[in-house]
Amino acid sequence: MDFLEEPIPGVGTYDDFNTIDWVREKSRDRDRHREITNKSKESTWALIHSVSDAFSGWLLMLLIGLLSGSLAGLIDISAHWMTDLKEGICTGGFWFNHEHCCWNSEHVTFEHRDKCPEWNSWAQLIINTDQGAFAYIVNYFMYVLWALLFAFLAVSLVKAFAPYACGSGIPEIKTILSGFIIRGYLGKWTLVIKTITLVLAVSSGLSLGKEGPLVHVACCCGNILCHCFNKYRKNEAKRREVLSAAAAAGVSVAFGAPIGGVLFSLEEVSYYFPLKTLWRSFFAALVAAFTLRSINPFGNSRLVLFYVEFHTPWHLFELVPFIVLGIFGGLWGALFIRTNIAWCRKRKTTQLGKYPVVEVLIVTAITAILAFPNEYTRMSTSELISELFNDCGLLDSSKLCDYENHFNTSKGGELPDRPAGVGVYSAMWQLALTLILKIVITIFTFGMKIPSGLFIPSMAVGAIAGRLLGVGMEQLAYYHHDWGIFNSWCSQGADCITPGLYAMVGAAACLGGVTRMTVSLVVIMFELTGGLEYIVPLMAAAMTSKWVADALGREGIYDAHIRLNGYPFLEAKEEFAHKTLAMDVMKPRRNDPLLTVLTQDSMTVEDVETIISETTYSGFPVVVSRESQRLVGFVLRRDLIISIENARKKQDGVVSTSIIYFTEHSPPMPPYTPPTLKLRNILDLSPFTVTDLTPMEIVVDIFRKLGLRQCLVTHNGRLLGIITKKDVLKHIAQMANQDPDSILFN
Amino acid sequence: MDFLEEPIPGVGTYDDFNTIDWVREKSRDRDRHREITNKSKESTWALIHSVSDAFSGWLLMLLIGLLSGSLAGLIDISAHWMTDLKEGICTGGFWFNHEHCCWNSEHVTFEHRDKCPEWNSWAQLIINTDQGAFAYIVNYFMYVLWALLFAFLAVSLVKAFAPYACGSGIPEIKTILSGFIIRGYLGKWTLVIKTITLVLAVSSGLSLGKEGPLVHVACCCGNILCHCFNKYRKNEAKRREVLSAAAAAGVSVAFGAPIGGVLFSLEEVSYYFPLKTLWRSFFAALVAAFTLRSINPFGNSRLVLFYVEFHTPWHLFELVPFIVLGIFGGLWGALFIRTNIAWCRKRKTTQLGKYPVVEVLIVTAITAILAFPNEYTRMSTSELISELFNDCGLLDSSKLCDYENHFNTSKGGELPDRPAGVGVYSAMWQLALTLILKIVITIFTFGMKIPSGLFIPSMAVGAIAGRLLGVGMEQLAYYHHDWGIFNSWCSQGADCITPGLYAMVGAAACLGGVTRMTVSLVVIMFELTGGLEYIVPLMAAAMTSKWVADALGREGIYDAHIRLNGYPFLEAKEEFAHKTLAMDVMKPRRNDPLLTVLTQDSMTVEDVETIISETTYSGFPVVVSRESQRLVGFVLRRDLIISIENARKKQDGVVSTSIIYFTEHSPPMPPYTPPTLKLRNILDLSPFTVTDLTPMEIVVDIFRKLGLRQCLVTHNGRLLGIITKKDVLKHIAQMANQDPDSILFN
């Protein structure tokens, strides 16, 4: 009769939008591992299987690294080409981007590296001239037209094929990693569409970046590759370990920062991060970085456009402006989060959300129209950041480097502080306008139905502010080097202040204000610059920015979006600080009907089916008897339905009046009763229990650390109630004066 | 009657060699925090107190960074001076070390930077000449004499004042961080004596390093500074957060690697590491590194002697020798751990352990006598490593760089591979002898009664092996550049192979083999070299080394020493892979007498005192009644004794026949009975319970993640038994076929 000992298909799996039971998943993996280890002693074949099983994790990491590195390279190259397509086309070969086109040209001079006859602006192609107002208008028109086309394609593709491909994906990945199931979020369609639309969205010139979505792309790679390995396909907990590593690989290729990527995964997105995963993540991140480097998308063997190698020193006094930048970053971060969330809430609750295509087109049109006249908004945001981070050399021809050269350079190669020329002043004005545009438009851009990352716009805002302050400080030091604050360390003709460093510090501050990253932020910036000496300025800015932003609102942008969307995410960082007890949270509440329980050996199939159909609970405690309320175990609704259905089909004589028992042995039955149904194998014999007087802070801690779905509440040994993860989340929301019913959850 | 609501002094503290209850400590901290936050709304003063409380953690980190950085600088400078003292003295000022002495000299030539008239060897001072066999013997004799003197002082000081100051301290710190109490291990005497004896031990020329003990020194600083802050003094869990950060600061100054230090603390030593601690650890590590840099102990603005800035590329084929180095490192690591543990066990179990001073003197004498004739053993081990890591320049005068120069250097500054000269060949022989000496002597050195770190000797072994292999490869490539493996990438006259890189990879491999560090190892080595391009070789070597070493023995050296000493450390990394259940582990065993319980409202003071005196359990479950065995809570022996004693002293009428009750309200009593004693406030109303059928793997997980001291076992709602951390540890030891009674624990 015991053929229920055979696993029934479906038992132990999860429905969509459900939470996984970490304890059960990890137990299952240990069972699996034990079985393979035991078998490995029996035959050589089993031994090989066991070894290959042990190494499959490493192989998977290698594949993830290779795939996400290649995809990142592909995205970089295509986005670069399509961004330039908005301005013109290469007659030497339409597949060349602007820079590449002129590389191959023989007619290019050192002074004007980006001007060559092979590269034709749209005006040149259409009206055969690049001069005059009409040409300008043609170029303007074509720029806007291409931007609209790209944006339209992006939003249509997302809407038609993969609605999950929009946004940055990080809030959802955080939620998934914490143990939630969103089917298709990391699937192959999402991967394909997100990769394509990301290129389109970036090329359209909208105020968004590719860094956040790259994490999503890498996680999709991880999830899809998991299907090739039994160990990871079937186990939700193990798969999440892989996804954590994939997230690290994603950041690694986004910023060229493998260590930063691992720390980002650890600090920001991961929930369960055993040390084994740390090492594997590091491996995946490295492989991804090296794959990208060998693709060499920017032609400079760097992984990102805005890599800089700085070595100019900074002075202790400069910490003051750096902290000012930190305050700016914190203020901007907090402001951005508030306004963006308010706008997104409006989108969710009003008619606005119903017209995503129109919304995207309007925002794109506004961005493109405002962006074209200003060269700093017209160029791609990564290029802008790269230019802002750059320290002016003697031969730099950009406007930002238009200083009045007196050519009395003191030491070898090091340029002294110089008075700003006309170009710098006009650049300052343009940058100030850019700053305003970026600040405003990003609020409306992040959250639209296209892939959109937030790292690059945040960094751009910070970098502009930093550069403005940096140039200001530089000029102040040049003209007033006799002031008390300068004269001790900044003599005339010395190179005291590096505006590029200010841009970098500003970028870190704004990124920190929006995301509330700390260690990983500093390490990412450190890996971007390669100099240990800038850790102190970066850290000062990141710390100030986090403190300021935290004072104005506890949540980072990702947590705010998680809450906005009502994902059941149990934040591991926040301490629960209220003095409530388990009895205040458990169901049933004081005046509710009693807890729905099953008894261990006295209910019929019909009784159980009635309970299942009358309630929607996802699980039921099993007790010795209703009178004693002594707990035996816990059974899941899904397992119960599947098992009863299966028994009715396959097991002879199981009818509605059959007794279901959960004990080891069948209860004594009178003769001529229908055969009984043993369901002990689907019973969880070790349900977690807490007493009714347990403080909620401890309950929250248990839920977080052990990854529970539910916990039973007892009083003096009697079963009293149940607390589910949803109850915990609702209670936390309630205590924080938020709407507890916003949480989407089964 | 309720003045027991006032906290009684001593309730909630721990005895020496006990385990802390993380859940209780964290609850207490939250209560404290809540109280301060609530009060902060009442008055400005309370608000300031609340803010200063919030920032006290950062202040503490700053102080730890400053103190441990300064101590590290002091140790570096003194050790440098005393190491040179073995060879001679500076007449220009006895406080100068050799290098410093000749810096100030006017008679020094560029060729012989280390020879100047101010620096006198002992032979020059005593017999007025430095030439001839007799002078050599005098120098030899003085060298050995100083070494013996330093070693004798070190071991005597340790023995007389601070027995805890010996060894590296990392195994004990791991145990302490996991929640064990060892009073005085991180006290001020240990700090003072360890700092002094560390300098002596390093200077004596023994095969040991200062890096591990620096972690202990930093943790002592952390622990002592905790006493200045109420928040950390009184809470064992919070104090452990600080100690984790202090460990990071220790590694940061030991290797000049702040990020590596934080990852080391996370990966290797810490047990409970919330993200807040990560950020603070990073801060402490940075402050420590910058303090040390401003002290500038080596005069080169580097934090360590063996910092190198490499930029020569490596070829993919070189991964083969790197993996060979990894295998060597793994083999050596496993071998070292086995022999060292066997020797330490012998020391513990035989007469040997009774004569620590004699042992140290004998080992020092052997080391010094064998070391003096060979220049690579005579120099300090960090200097040796620095020389081995170094890439030979054109002007390097050391023997290792004695290549046959043809001076047809191809590109600017880059030297092609050259044939080795006589000096290199003789250096190879000397290095081979050094390797053998280091391998053998380190086994006997680590574990003696003096401060001794293992990082430097391990790195030295690996660096020598690596350099030997590197020079071999270099010569092979020079003489056989037409071989198939070379000719594709190594043309004649090119600089293909960098022996210094091999030394670095070898050092990483051996360090990995001994300590089994992974990410932190790679990051530390990365921070030592500053080049992202060497991460792949380092990672390949570290990975191979860990796999090889793990195949030969699961434990790293620190875990092996923890087990040798029987510390109650619950390893967080190892999965518990056996299929036992909670009922197999719990006390009482099947044939034992029943579990000793208290009832909630029917036992007298005398009954309880009898139970306390007749048993040695450190806590007792409280049940509704003996018949029902329904659990109410758990009370600790220590709290019970203190409370009863206190009540007898202070509370009128409490006599032996008084009823003790743990309920909310006093039980109904017949008239004329003595007053009752309410002890509900010492009762833990939320004891952790598991069912008897819970798999032990889950129980182990709960103990680890929540940091429990004990857990009660129930069956169908009735109390059945108890599992303590000791039971868990014993069970794990038993399952691993180890002696379960070796665990030292209360």
Side-chain angles (χ1 to χ4, degrees):
Chain A
M1 289 281 243
D2 246 17
F3 58 102
L4 279 179
E5 298 294 327
E6 290 283 293
I8 306 166
V11 164
T13 61
Y14 302 92
D15 281 327
D16 203 3
F17 296 109
N18 260 279
T19 291
I20 68 164
D21 185 337
W22 286 91
V23 180
R24 189 167 73 161
E25 293 297 306
K26 279 187 270 174
S27 284
R28 277 177 51 203
D29 181 60
R30 275 186 290 239
D31 287 343
R32 198 185 153 280
H33 183 74
R34 201 151 34 213
E35 199 180 312
I36 290 175
T37 318
N38 289 343
K39 265 194 194 155
S40 74
K41 286 158 199 153
E42 287 164 18
S43 72
T44 325
W45 180 243
L47 185 68
I48 292 168
H49 179 222
S50 138
V51 172
S52 78
D53 184 75
F55 278 86
S56 65
W58 290 100
L59 180 60
L60 182 54
M61 291 300 138
L62 181 72
L63 294 175
I64 290 173
L66 289 172
L67 188 55
S68 49
S70 315
L71 281 177
L74 189 73
I75 291 170
D76 279 338
I77 291 170
S78 333
H80 210 158
W81 173 69
M82 282 172 64
T83 304
D84 289 347
L85 197 62
K86 285 186 301 183
E87 304 197 349
I89 201 161
C90 187
T91 48
F94 74 92
W95 57 88
F96 289 126
N97 64 34
H98 192 159
E99 198 183 349
H100 220 120
C101 186
C102 289
W103 265 355
N104 298 333
S105 168
E106 291 159 7
H107 308 279
V108 68
T109 58
F110 188 80
E111 286 272 292
H112 299 284
R113 267 166 297 182
D114 56 346
K115 284 195 182 149
C116 63
E118 283 85 354
W119 181 258
N120 291 296
S121 72
W122 291 109
Q124 273 174 313
L125 277 179
I126 297 167
I127 57 165
N128 267 321
T129 172
D130 206 13
Q131 306 297 323
F134 186 56
Y136 186 82
I137 289 168
V138 170
N139 278 333
Y140 202 154
F141 178 74
M142 288 303 289
Y143 181 90
V144 177
L145 201 70
W146 278 110
L148 285 172
L149 178 68
F150 293 155
F152 176 73
L153 274 175
V155 68
S156 315
L157 282 172
V158 166
K159 209 180 152 209
F161 297 105
Y164 285 146
C166 70
S168 85
I170 293 181
E172 287 80 6
I173 288 168
K174 274 185 89 165
T175 313
I176 290 175
L177 285 179
S178 82
F180 197 57
I181 299 217
I182 310 178
R183 293 220 188 285
Y185 197 86
L186 301 173
K188 53 184 178 307
W189 273 110
T190 312
L191 176 63
V192 172
I193 297 299
K194 186 130 196 177
T195 310
I196 297 169
T197 53
L198 179 57
V199 173
L200 290 165
V202 169
S203 315
S204 74
L206 279 163
S207 179
L208 48 81
K210 62 178 176 52
E211 278 64 16
L214 269 182
V215 175
H216 188 181
V217 166
C219 283
C220 289
C221 296
N223 188 47
I224 291 165
L225 288 168
C226 272
H227 284 283
C228 311
F229 298 89
N230 255 326
K231 185 172 173 179
Y232 297 99
R233 185 178 63 228
K234 292 187 181 163
N235 195 297
E236 295 287 343
K238 292 300 279 181
R239 201 190 297 180
R240 275 161 181 77
E241 286 180 24
V242 175
L243 294 180
S244 291
V251 176
S252 166
V253 289
F255 292 102
I259 303 173
V262 174
L263 289 175
F264 176 80
S265 176
L266 172 70
E267 187 186 354
E268 197 59 35
V269 294
S270 291
Y271 190 83
Y272 168 66
F273 205 96
L275 281 167
K276 211 166 55 183
T277 311
L278 194 72
W279 187 215
R280 289 193 178 169
S281 305
F282 192 53
F283 179 68
L286 261 184
V287 173
F290 273 81
T291 309
L292 182 59
R293 180 185 280 194
S294 46
I295 292 173
N296 201 357
F298 303 110
N300 59 356
S301 31
R302 295 299 174 194
L303 282 69
V304 282
L305 207 50
F306 40 91
Y307 180 94
V308 273
E309 213 155 352
F310 264 173
H311 287 291
T312 41
W314 57 277
H315 189 266
L316 211 61
F317 166 76
E318 288 186 277
L319 278 180
V320 177
F322 295 151
I323 285 172
V324 170
L325 284 175
I327 294 171
F328 170 78
L331 289 176
W332 179 73
L335 181 82
F336 175 80
I337 292 170
R338 286 215 181 169
T339 44
N340 179 256
I341 289 294
W343 182 249
C344 287
R345 178 159 290 131
K346 177 155 268 161
R347 187 185 290 127
K348 265 183 94 127
T349 49
T350 63
Q351 290 287 318
L352 187 67
K354 294 198 180 129
Y355 307 102
V357 181
V358 178
E359 186 194 358
V360 169
L361 289 179
I362 292 173
V363 174
T364 312
I366 295 173
T367 312
I369 290 168
L370 292 177
F372 187 83
N374 183 338
E375 64 172 299
Y376 292 111
T377 44
R378 192 166 53 202
M379 65 172 68
S380 82
T381 321
S382 347
E383 263 177 89
L384 171 63
I385 293 174
S386 160
E387 196 160 332
L388 292 169
F389 280 10
N390 191 28
D391 194 12
C392 285
L394 210 55
L395 296 171
D396 268 313
S397 58
S398 89
K399 259 164 71 183
L400 262 177
C401 293
D402 180 25
Y403 288 91
E404 287 173 21
N405 278 317
H406 299 303
F407 285 104
N408 53 352
T409 49
S410 44
K411 300 146 215 162
E414 204 172 84
L415 283 174
D417 281 356
R418 296 162 292 172
V422 187
V424 174
Y425 285 112
S426 90
M428 291 296 104
W429 278 112
Q430 285 182 312
L431 281 178
L433 290 174
T434 310
L435 183 64
I436 293 166
L437 176 65
K438 292 269 170 199
I439 285 180
V440 175
I441 205 76
T442 309
I443 293 168
F444 300 99
T445 308
F446 188 71
M448 290 198 308
K449 268 247 167 288
I450 44 168
S452 58
L454 197 51
F455 284 109
I456 288 287
S458 316
M459 284 174 76
V461 166
I464 297 171
R467 187 84 189 198
L468 291 176
L469 184 64
V471 172
M473 283 292 293
E474 186 193 38
Q475 296 307 311
L476 203 68
Y478 178 79
Y479 288 111
H480 301 283
H481 50 80
D482 49 344
W483 281 9
I485 49 169
F486 293 122
N487 64 8
S488 59
W489 56 285
C490 187
S491 57
Q492 191 167 16
D495 179 22
C496 322
I497 284 173
T498 318
L501 176 61
Y502 282 71
M504 212 149 52
V505 171
C510 282
L511 195 49
V514 172
T515 60
R516 311 289 160 87
M517 287 153 64
T518 53
V519 185
S520 46
L521 173 65
V522 175
V523 173
I524 286 173
M525 299 302 290
F526 157 68
E527 287 188 84
L528 274 181
T529 59
L532 201 65
E533 54 268 53
Y534 299 122
I535 286 194
V536 171
L538 291 171
M539 191 151 176
M543 236 153 105
T544 320
S545 150
K546 188 175 156 65
W547 282 340
V548 170
D550 275 353
L552 297 172
R554 292 292 296 165
E555 289 174 320
I557 185 76
Y558 301 126
D559 294 327
H561 273 267
I562 284 175
R563 194 157 58 73
L564 177 73
N565 291 321
Y567 296 129
F569 181 72
L570 191 53
E571 179 58 71
K573 279 176 238 170
E574 284 289 312
E575 295 262 327
F576 178 80
H578 302 280
K579 249 190 125 53
T580 45
L581 298 177
M583 58 190 299
D584 304 327
V585 179
M586 71 173 189
K587 297 277 170 56
R589 318 284 322 129
R590 195 153 299 176
N591 301 319
D592 286 354
L594 278 179
L595 185 67
T596 313
V597 293
L598 307 181
T599 57
Q600 65 174 355
D601 54 3
S602 57
M603 287 176 93
T604 63
V605 170
E606 198 176 8
D607 294 341
V608 172
E609 283 175 333
T610 317
I611 286 181
I612 290 173
S613 62
E614 280 174 0
T615 62
T616 56
Y617 305 130
S618 49
F620 306 93
V622 175
V623 294
V624 174
S625 65
R626 277 187 208 284
E627 298 71 45
S628 76
Q629 289 283 352
R630 279 169 26 210
L631 182 69
V632 176
F634 191 81
V635 64
L636 288 175
R637 175 196 189 85
R638 189 180 155 89
D639 293 352
L640 207 54
I641 294 174
I642 294 174
S643 300
I644 292 177
E645 219 165 74
N646 190 65
R648 277 196 188 258
K649 258 188 247 158
K650 296 197 182 154
Q651 208 169 338
D652 277 341
V654 169
V655 291
S656 297
T657 50
S658 295
I659 291 283
I660 286 178
Y661 66 98
F662 294 96
T663 46
E664 191 62 69
H665 303 288
S666 165
M669 300 296 287
Y672 309 114
T673 46
T676 53
L677 175 54
K678 180 175 178 179
L679 290 182
R680 191 175 175 86
N681 61 332
I682 61 162
L683 183 67
D684 177 6
L685 288 162
S686 52
F688 282 86
T689 55
V690 293
T691 66
D692 54 344
L693 292 170
T694 309
M696 268 314 283
E697 54 192 32
I698 293 180
V699 177
V700 171
D701 226 40
I702 299 176
F703 267 88
R704 264 180 207 152
K705 292 215 174 120
L706 302 177
L708 300 186
R709 285 228 286 191
Q710 72 278 319
C711 180
L712 298 166
V713 182
T714 59
H715 174 75
N716 288 3
R718 283 178 204 274
L719 180 65
L720 208 64
I722 186 167
I723 298 178
T724 63
K725 193 167 166 186
K726 190 183 187 178
D727 297 327
V728 173
L729 287 163
K730 280 191 170 174
H731 181 69
I732 293 176
Q734 208 166 13
M735 284 289 143
N737 291 321
Q738 293 156 358
D739 175 23
D741 288 323
S742 64
I743 290 160
L744 156 86
F745 194 50
N746 287 298
Chain B
M1 289 281 245
D2 246 15
F3 57 102
L4 279 179
E5 299 293 325
E6 292 280 295
I8 305 164
V11 164
T13 60
Y14 301 93
D15 282 326
D16 202 3
F17 296 109
N18 261 280
T19 291
I20 68 164
D21 186 337
W22 287 90
V23 179
R24 190 168 71 162
E25 293 297 306
K26 279 187 270 176
S27 285
R28 277 177 50 204
D29 181 59
R30 276 186 290 239
D31 287 344
R32 196 183 153 279
H33 183 74
R34 201 153 35 215
E35 199 181 312
I36 290 176
T37 319
N38 289 343
K39 265 194 194 157
S40 73
K41 286 158 201 153
E42 289 166 16
S43 71
T44 325
W45 180 243
L47 185 69
I48 293 169
H49 180 218
S50 138
V51 171
S52 79
D53 184 75
F55 278 85
S56 65
W58 290 100
L59 180 61
L60 183 53
M61 291 300 139
L62 181 72
L63 293 175
I64 290 174
L66 289 172
L67 188 55
S68 50
S70 316
L71 280 177
L74 190 72
I75 290 170
D76 279 339
I77 292 171
S78 334
H80 211 156
W81 174 69
M82 281 171 65
T83 304
D84 289 348
L85 197 62
K86 284 188 300 181
E87 302 194 353
I89 201 158
C90 186
T91 47
F94 74 92
W95 57 89
F96 289 127
N97 65 35
H98 191 158
E99 200 183 347
H100 222 118
C101 185
C102 290
W103 266 354
N104 299 337
S105 169
E106 292 160 6
H107 307 279
V108 67
T109 59
F110 187 78
E111 286 272 291
H112 300 284
R113 266 167 297 179
D114 55 348
K115 285 199 181 144
C116 65
E118 282 85 354
W119 181 257
N120 291 297
S121 73
W122 291 110
Q124 273 172 313
L125 277 179
I126 296 167
I127 58 166
N128 266 320
T129 172
D130 205 12
Q131 306 295 322
F134 187 56
Y136 186 80
I137 289 169
V138 170
N139 277 333
Y140 202 154
F141 178 76
M142 287 303 291
Y143 181 89
V144 177
L145 202 69
W146 277 110
L148 285 172
L149 178 68
F150 292 156
F152 176 74
L153 275 175
V155 67
S156 313
L157 282 172
V158 167
K159 210 180 150 208
F161 297 105
Y164 285 146
C166 69
S168 86
I170 293 181
E172 287 79 8
I173 288 167
K174 273 185 89 162
T175 313
I176 290 173
L177 286 178
S178 83
F180 197 56
I181 298 213
I182 310 180
R183 293 221 188 284
Y185 198 85
L186 302 172
K188 55 184 177 305
W189 273 109
T190 311
L191 176 62
V192 172
I193 297 297
K194 186 132 195 175
T195 309
I196 297 170
T197 54
L198 179 57
V199 174
L200 289 165
V202 169
S203 315
S204 73
L206 280 163
S207 178
L208 47 81
K210 62 178 177 50
E211 277 65 14
L214 269 182
V215 175
H216 187 181
V217 166
C219 283
C220 288
C221 296
N223 188 49
I224 292 165
L225 289 169
C226 273
H227 284 282
C228 312
F229 298 90
N230 255 326
K231 186 173 176 181
Y232 297 99
R233 186 177 62 229
K234 291 189 182 163
N235 195 299
E236 295 288 342
K238 291 302 277 181
R239 199 190 299 180
R240 274 160 183 76
E241 286 181 24
V242 175
L243 293 181
S244 291
V251 176
S252 166
V253 288
F255 291 101
I259 304 172
V262 174
L263 288 175
F264 176 81
S265 177
L266 172 69
E267 187 186 354
E268 196 60 35
V269 295
S270 291
Y271 189 83
Y272 168 67
F273 205 96
L275 281 166
K276 212 167 54 183
T277 311
L278 196 71
W279 188 215
R280 291 194 176 167
S281 304
F282 193 52
F283 179 68
L286 261 183
V287 173
F290 274 81
T291 309
L292 182 57
R293 181 185 279 195
S294 45
I295 292 176
N296 201 358
F298 304 109
N300 58 356
S301 34
R302 296 300 175 192
L303 282 70
V304 283
L305 207 50
F306 40 92
Y307 179 94
V308 273
E309 213 155 352
F310 265 173
H311 286 292
T312 41
W314 58 276
H315 189 266
L316 211 63
F317 166 75
E318 290 186 276
L319 278 181
V320 177
F322 294 152
I323 285 171
V324 170
L325 283 176
I327 295 172
F328 170 78
L331 288 175
W332 179 73
L335 181 82
F336 174 80
I337 292 170
R338 286 216 181 170
T339 45
N340 179 257
I341 289 294
W343 180 250
C344 287
R345 180 159 288 131
K346 178 156 265 159
R347 186 185 291 126
K348 265 182 94 121
T349 50
T350 62
Q351 289 289 317
L352 187 66
K354 295 197 179 129
Y355 306 102
V357 181
V358 178
E359 187 195 357
V360 169
L361 288 180
I362 291 173
V363 174
T364 313
I366 295 173
T367 312
I369 289 168
L370 293 176
F372 187 83
N374 183 339
E375 65 173 297
Y376 292 111
T377 44
R378 192 167 52 202
M379 66 172 68
S380 83
T381 320
S382 343
E383 263 177 88
L384 172 63
I385 294 175
S386 161
E387 196 160 331
L388 292 168
F389 280 9
N390 191 27
D391 195 11
C392 286
L394 210 56
L395 296 171
D396 268 313
S397 59
S398 88
K399 259 164 75 181
L400 263 176
C401 292
D402 180 25
Y403 288 92
E404 287 174 19
N405 279 317
H406 299 303
F407 286 104
N408 54 350
T409 49
S410 44
K411 301 146 218 163
E414 204 172 83
L415 282 175
D417 282 356
R418 296 162 293 170
V422 187
V424 174
Y425 284 112
S426 90
M428 290 297 105
W429 279 112
Q430 285 182 312
L431 281 178
L433 289 175
T434 310
L435 182 63
I436 294 167
L437 176 65
K438 292 266 172 202
I439 286 181
V440 175
I441 205 79
T442 310
I443 294 168
F444 300 100
T445 308
F446 187 71
M448 292 198 305
K449 268 246 167 289
I450 45 170
S452 57
L454 198 50
F455 285 109
I456 288 287
S458 314
M459 284 174 78
V461 166
I464 296 171
R467 187 84 189 199
L468 290 175
L469 184 65
V471 172
M473 283 293 291
E474 186 192 38
Q475 295 307 310
L476 202 68
Y478 179 79
Y479 287 112
H480 302 282
H481 49 80
D482 50 343
W483 282 9
I485 48 169
F486 294 122
N487 65 7
S488 60
W489 57 284
C490 187
S491 59
Q492 193 169 12
D495 180 23
C496 322
I497 284 171
T498 318
L501 175 61
Y502 283 70
M504 212 149 53
V505 171
C510 282
L511 195 49
V514 171
T515 59
R516 311 292 159 85
M517 287 152 65
T518 54
V519 186
S520 46
L521 173 64
V522 175
V523 174
I524 286 174
M525 298 302 290
F526 158 68
E527 287 188 85
L528 274 181
T529 60
L532 202 66
E533 54 266 55
Y534 300 123
I535 286 194
V536 171
L538 291 171
M539 192 152 173
M543 237 154 108
T544 320
S545 149
K546 187 175 156 65
W547 281 341
V548 170
D550 275 354
L552 297 171
R554 293 293 296 167
E555 291 172 320
I557 186 76
Y558 301 127
D559 293 327
H561 272 268
I562 285 175
R563 193 159 57 73
L564 177 73
N565 291 322
Y567 296 129
F569 181 71
L570 192 53
E571 179 57 71
K573 280 177 237 168
E574 286 287 315
E575 294 262 326
F576 179 80
H578 303 278
K579 249 189 126 50
T580 44
L581 298 177
M583 58 190 295
D584 304 326
V585 179
M586 71 175 191
K587 298 274 171 60
R589 317 286 319 130
R590 195 153 298 176
N591 301 318
D592 285 354
L594 280 178
L595 186 66
T596 313
V597 295
L598 307 181
T599 56
Q600 65 175 355
D601 56 2
S602 57
M603 287 175 93
T604 61
V605 170
E606 197 176 10
D607 294 340
V608 172
E609 282 176 332
T610 315
I611 286 180
I612 290 174
S613 62
E614 280 175 0
T615 63
T616 55
Y617 306 129
S618 50
F620 306 93
V622 175
V623 294
V624 174
S625 64
R626 278 190 208 281
E627 297 70 47
S628 74
Q629 289 283 350
R630 277 167 32 208
L631 182 68
V632 176
F634 191 82
V635 63
L636 288 175
R637 177 198 188 82
R638 188 180 156 91
D639 293 352
L640 207 54
I641 294 174
I642 294 173
S643 301
I644 292 178
E645 218 166 72
N646 189 64
R648 276 198 188 257
K649 258 188 246 157
K650 297 194 182 156
Q651 207 170 337
D652 277 340
V654 169
V655 290
S656 298
T657 50
S658 296
I659 292 283
I660 288 177
Y661 67 99
F662 295 97
T663 47
E664 192 63 68
H665 302 289
S666 166
M669 299 297 287
Y672 308 115
T673 48
T676 54
L677 175 57
K678 179 175 178 178
L679 291 182
R680 191 175 175 87
N681 61 333
I682 61 162
L683 183 68
D684 177 8
L685 287 163
S686 52
F688 282 87
T689 55
V690 293
T691 66
D692 53 343
L693 292 170
T694 308
M696 267 313 284
E697 54 192 31
I698 294 179
V699 176
V700 171
D701 228 39
I702 299 175
F703 267 89
R704 266 181 206 150
K705 293 212 174 120
L706 302 177
L708 299 186
R709 285 227 290 192
Q710 72 278 318
C711 181
L712 298 166
V713 182
T714 59
H715 174 74
N716 289 4
R718 283 177 203 274
L719 180 65
L720 209 64
I722 186 168
I723 297 178
T724 62
K725 193 168 169 187
K726 189 183 188 179
D727 298 327
V728 173
L729 286 163
K730 280 190 170 176
H731 182 69
I732 292 176
Q734 208 164 17
M735 285 288 144
N737 290 320
Q738 292 157 358
D739 176 23
D741 289 322
S742 64
I743 290 160
L744 157 86
F745 196 46
N746 287 299

